[in-house]
Amino acid sequence: MFDKILIANRGEIALRVLRAARELGIQTVAVHSTADADAMHVKLADESVCIGPPPAKDSYLNIPAIVAACEITGAEAVHPGYGFLSENAKFAEILKSHNIKFIGPSVENIRTMGDKIEAKRTAKELGIPIVPGSEGGVHDIATARKVGKDIGYPVIIKATAGGGGRGMKVANSEAELELAVSTAQSEAKAAFGNGEVYIEKYLEKPRHIEIQILGDGQGRAIHLGERDCSLQRRHQKIWEEAHSPALNAKQRDEIGARVSNAMAKMSYEGVGTIEFLFENNEFYFIEMNTRLQVEHPVTEAITGLDLVQEQIRVAAGAALAYKQSDIQFSGHAIECRINAENPLTFIPSPGKVNDVHFPGGLGVRVDSALYSGYRIPPYYDSLIGKLIVFGKSRAECMMRLRRSLSEFVVDGVETTIPLFQKLLAEPDILDGHYDIHWLEKYLARTKM
Ligand code: ADP
């Protein structure tokens, strides 16, 4: 096992990793920008290193500074959290060349699955069902037209290097195609420095269902069930639950087995998520995330596993401690992402938090790095906390969610808490009847 790891992240996920490491008796090194000198992850870590000025590109994405921080502190491994450098193959490669262990999959696996076209090709080869679409990148309008004819409209144009729900455009007919392709290309170029796009059938009423997997890099892999992340705004998840209200045990076992077999074949190491759209009882692969996800706690709640500790164990060379038959699902869990944003317009609301009070009690978990008097900097993601409730049933989660949202106080900034309180009055939410477009439609007709 490692003696010391460096956590290349900030906010709630840096704390999450720090807690897992501490339980395993591992020393932690925090890194931070000058804007985060007073952040909770810095206060709680055994050591900390300032790695640059506020903009992420100069600090949390600053590879030389992070490698130097490892060398100065003698950290043997780096946990990247999510976002920032967590899916950066170059970073994993540089760490390897410095004999520092990247807590995550191999450079090759990150690279393959990070290129969305390559990922789809690989998934198909490994027997995972994919969304119909172009064979590879689409570079000219004639090819785009041919793909549109073959798969039928509407289609969605997506960036090969995409992420965070950006750079996607829908074309409802051939007349809309040319503009959609060129806009997607220029947005992709601006956002990711790579303008390549590909085309997929646009599914009109799917749910977003993803499968959590865990592999040991030695050819063994298991799945930990699914999460339903269909409640999205601008393709960004805000509420996640496990199990999905739309799936039965047989469907779960089937897709889970298919995915874990594929991951075993790839010798996948660590945790990963295979994302699908699910429509008319069919799964369609959209992408893989080769890292820990924001919404991992709902899986922890229904499996009892600590996913971060499992990541660290396999990174340290341990074989998987579980067989598929050891994994027992129990109950239901729901996560709400608490963002410092206006609950209706989603405009960020950084600033000083005068007071916070977190809910507690049976079946309630709050992952957050907030504290009273903390100033939320304007430079980073607006996620300030995650409320996770679990219970024997989905109905029990609803009851618990209502109760814990009413206890949750963040004074001084706007948050998305009122949105979740309103959602709990919606029959569709209570019944689990929602698809990926439900929230946008709801927001369009709602006043906060
Ligand atoms: P990103 O990497 O930017 O998150 P994804 O490929 O994971 O992009 O897609 C994010 C979201 O965009 C999905 O959860 C879904 O809501 C929507 N989406 C993606 N592909 C399609 C598609 N073929 N049809 C309909 N919606 C889609």
Side-chain angles (χ1 to χ4, degrees), residues 230-300:
S230 303
L231 277 184
Q232 302 180 351
R233 176 184 172 266
R234 298 201 177 150
H235 307 303
Q236 298 256 39
K237 304 159 187 169
I238 67 152
W239 155 306
E240 300 96 350
E241 54 184 300
H243 293 304
S244 166
L247 224 58
N248 61 39
K250 183 163 172 281
Q251 289 169 309
R252 170 175 314 117
D253 291 347
E254 273 172 19
I255 192 72
R258 207 180 262 242
V259 165
S260 48
N261 287 338
M263 292 302 115
K265 276 191 209 145
M266 277 173 66
S267 288
Y268 189 83
E269 178 182 320
V271 300
T273 301
I274 318 287
E275 298 192 335
F276 292 97
L277 294 178
F278 181 73
E279 191 174 73
N280 299 328
N281 285 314
E282 298 285 343
F283 283 97
Y284 301 94
F285 170 86
I286 46 173
E287 69 159 343
M288 174 166 189
N289 288 316
T290 54
R291 56 167 167 85
L292 188 69
Q293 307 249 130
V294 176
E295 58 272 23
H296 75 277
V298 293
T299 300
E300 296 184 321

Side-chain angles (χ1 to χ4, degrees), residues 116 131 156 158 162-166 168 198 200-203 206 208 232 235 275 277 286-287 436:
K116 294 181 133 197
V131 191
I156 183 165
K158 299 170 72 173
R166 286 174 305 166
M168 288 186 248
Y198 63 106
E200 266 176 8
K201 175 90 188 153
Y202 180 69
L203 301 178
H208 173 119
Q232 302 180 351
H235 307 303
E275 298 192 335
L277 294 178
I286 46 173
E287 69 159 343
I436 62 168

Side-chain angles (χ1 to χ4, degrees), residues 58-134:
D58 301 320
S59 49
Y60 297 102
L61 295 171
N62 183 344
I63 297 177
I66 293 170
V67 173
C70 288
E71 292 188 332
I72 296 164
T73 56
E76 306 151 75
V78 172
H79 194 300
Y82 53 67
F84 295 131
L85 296 167
S86 60
E87 292 180 290
N88 187 314
K90 189 94 203 138
F91 179 54
E93 195 165 41
I94 290 172
L95 288 180
K96 196 169 178 192
S97 70
H98 283 78
N99 264 329
I100 301 164
K101 175 68 184 168
F102 175 78
I103 300 176
S106 67
V107 174
E108 298 70 42
N109 283 349
I110 302 173
R111 197 159 274 146
T112 307
M113 299 321 259
D115 176 314
K116 294 181 133 197
I117 291 175
E118 211 38 56
K120 272 184 89 170
R121 195 175 289 141
T122 309
K124 192 173 171 190
E125 253 174 48
L126 293 170
I128 296 175
I130 62 172
V131 191
S134 57

Side-chain angles (χ1 to χ4, degrees), residues 186 192 233 261 279 332 347 353 389 425:
S186 45
F192 314 110
R233 176 184 172 266
N261 287 338
E279 191 174 73
H332 196 92
I347 292 170
V353 177
V389 296

